[in-house]
Amino acid sequence: MTTKVTIAAVGDILMWRRQIAAARLGKSDRFSFDGMFRPVAPYLRAADLTIGNLETTLSGREAQYERRNRKTGWPMFNCPDELASALKRAGFDILTTANNHCMDRGEKGLVRTLRVLDRHNLAHTGTFRTQEASRKWLIKQVKGIKFGILAYTYGTNRIPLPKGKPWLVNRIRKPKILRDLKALRPLVDVIIVALHFGQEFKRFPTASQRSLVRTLFAHGADIILGAHPHVLQPMGFRQVSGAPGLKKKFVIYSLGNFISDRMLNRLQSESGAILNLTIEKNARGHVSLAGASYVPTWVHKRVQGGKLRFRVLPIRRYLRNPDAAISKEDRRTMRRVWHNTTRHLKGKAR
């Protein structure tokens, strides 16, 4: 008898100022993010294991959640805790937290973010509260198949880690990743590595991205999920002879933005994909990567009740059955995004 496990993965979960304002309930200090994810929640819940990249902190209530770094001018993110409960209800099981914004409110914000995720039963990896925690693997067993999940980031937007605490954030350091792969490989059937890397708004991976992926596959990584460019980058299967782990491996260099406001007036920053991977284990205990497909998505904005609203739409479903909030212009945009996404990613789109 063959066991099948489905994995869903999405890219950056960003919360800009206008998105947080859209989630505020009236003039109160309460928020609801559920409506942003309601259209795609059935796709996320349908998977056996759903993973996303949390690219904000949950650092506590503030008058101004989005700030600017005085030295660099780059945004610094924080979001109300209600986001965590909305993500859990939407179907997320695991959130990777190693990214360039994980230190946006310093060590205290990083630690508090993890406490909030724990409170909502959302597993996480990539950042850690203690050195002891950084030495523990995130392993999920689903239908008898063991998955190990690792996450690393290229940097923290020039925000330094406290002295003596390099373990707070997993950085992309090849020797460390290779040590982690070697230690984790005997404990699991499948290793998933989330990499926050690449160049923003570039639709193709750099030579260094490709080189790192080849190295990690050769040392036992099975699935690599890229994020950070804020646009989609190509995906595909790889056959790596003699490598530990699965015979057939898979990479997507960037999953794009799952939810975001438009960035630099680029439509592609509002489009992403829900990646679906099928893992099989046969009667002899052999585990393999059986298939991949994806659901192209688009962040739809509309004014409702005099207020701007955001929601992530599965494009094909809403092209076939648009609701009253979808305008003719929205349909044109969705067709354009569908064309751009499917032409770029190729493969099986749903």
Side-chain angles (χ1 to χ4, degrees):
M1 180 178 177
T2 299
T3 300
K4 290 187 179 182
V5 171
T6 55
I7 299 170
V10 305
D12 297 334
I13 299 167
L14 285 157
M15 282 292 149
W16 296 89
R17 180 185 296 110
R18 293 203 308 172
Q19 293 168 267
I20 295 172
R24 187 183 292 274
L25 297 174
K27 296 181 179 179
S28 73
D29 195 33
R30 295 181 298 116
F31 299 81
S32 175
F33 296 89
D34 293 271
M36 297 185 186
F37 307 110
R38 194 167 290 123
V40 286
Y43 299 85
L44 303 176
R45 294 176 191 148
D48 296 305
L49 195 65
T50 299
I51 305 169
N53 172 54
L54 182 67
E55 197 154 6
T56 183
T57 66
L58 304 170
S59 299
R61 289 297 201 253
E62 290 184 323
Q64 186 177 342
Y65 288 94
E66 180 193 328
R67 302 180 193 167
R68 290 281 161 175
N69 186 307
R70 292 179 181 177
K71 291 183 179 179
T72 65
W74 294 332
M76 301 171 68
F77 295 123
N78 181 26
C79 188
D81 294 354
E82 287 92 334
L83 175 63
S85 56
L87 292 173
K88 182 65 179 180
R89 286 189 290 270
F92 285 94
D93 303 297
I94 297 170
L95 294 173
T96 57
T97 53
N99 55 63
N100 56 310
H101 289 285
C102 64
M103 284 289 293
D104 278 2
R105 294 297 187 273
E107 180 184 359
K108 285 181 66 175
L110 182 152
V111 169
R112 189 183 185 281
T113 300
L114 302 183
R115 285 204 304 266
V116 173
L117 297 182
D118 286 343
R119 198 162 66 235
H120 291 89
N121 197 29
L122 284 160
H124 50 81
T125 190
T127 60
F128 309 95
R129 278 170 286 201
T130 65
Q131 190 168 16
E132 182 184 9
S134 73
R135 294 170 177 157
K136 293 180 178 177
W137 307 118
L138 175 56
I139 297 175
K140 289 286 187 181
Q141 183 164 319
V142 185
K143 298 180 183 177
I145 301 176
K146 288 184 179 179
F147 296 87
I149 300 96
L150 301 169
Y152 307 86
T153 178
Y154 75 91
T156 55
N157 278 358
R158 300 183 194 168
I159 300 172
L161 302 182
K163 269 189 176 178
K165 296 185 177 181
W167 40 261
L168 276 172
V169 180
N170 269 354
R171 298 287 297 273
I172 294 177
R173 301 286 186 264
K174 195 181 293 184
K176 175 187 169 38
I177 302 177
L178 298 189
R179 287 195 303 271
D180 290 349
L181 288 172
K182 186 177 181 180
L184 181 58
R185 185 71 265 175
L187 307 178
V188 299
D189 299 300
V190 180
I191 295 181
I192 300 169
V193 183
L195 296 176
H196 207 77
F197 69 164
Q199 294 181 2
E200 290 184 326
F201 306 110
K202 300 296 183 183
R203 299 186 72 214
F204 291 91
T206 62
S208 62
Q209 279 177 276
R210 293 181 186 275
S211 174
L212 179 59
V213 166
R214 285 194 298 268
T215 299
L216 300 193
F217 279 159
H219 286 81
D222 297 309
I223 297 166
I224 293 178
L225 306 174
H228 176 63
H230 304 302
V231 294
L232 290 161
Q233 290 185 349
M235 66 179 199
F237 293 99
R238 302 288 185 270
Q239 295 281 354
V240 185
S241 60
L246 305 184
K247 288 185 178 179
K248 183 166 65 173
K249 300 173 184 291
F250 182 88
V251 60
I252 181 163
Y253 285 96
S254 174
L255 280 155
N257 286 340
F258 180 57
I259 187 163
S260 175
D261 204 345
R262 184 173 289 199
M263 301 173 68
L264 300 183
N265 200 32
R266 295 172 186 254
L267 174 62
Q268 291 165 352
S269 68
E270 297 175 331
S271 59
I274 302 171
L275 173 68
N276 291 280
L277 299 172
T278 302
I279 310 295
E280 291 186 352
K281 186 175 187 178
N282 66 21
R284 299 187 303 276
H286 176 72
V287 178
S288 61
L289 181 52
S293 64
Y294 60 96
V295 177
T297 61
W298 174 59
V299 180
H300 177 227
K301 296 191 291 288
R302 79 248 187 237
V303 175
Q304 184 181 33
K307 190 173 184 179
L308 184 65
R309 306 285 184 181
F310 293 76
R311 58 180 181 164
V312 186
L313 300 183
I315 294 176
R316 173 171 273 175
R317 177 182 161 197
Y318 275 76
L319 277 175
R320 289 176 172 174
N321 298 292
D323 61 21
I326 301 292
S327 68
K328 288 183 179 179
E329 180 61 30
D330 293 333
R331 289 198 291 274
R332 282 193 291 269
T333 300
M334 283 193 287
R335 283 192 288 269
R336 182 179 166 194
V337 172
W338 174 272
H339 177 72
N340 289 343
T341 298
T342 55
R343 185 174 59 178
H344 195 51
L345 291 186
K346 301 180 173 62
K348 183 181 178 182
R350 299 191 294 116

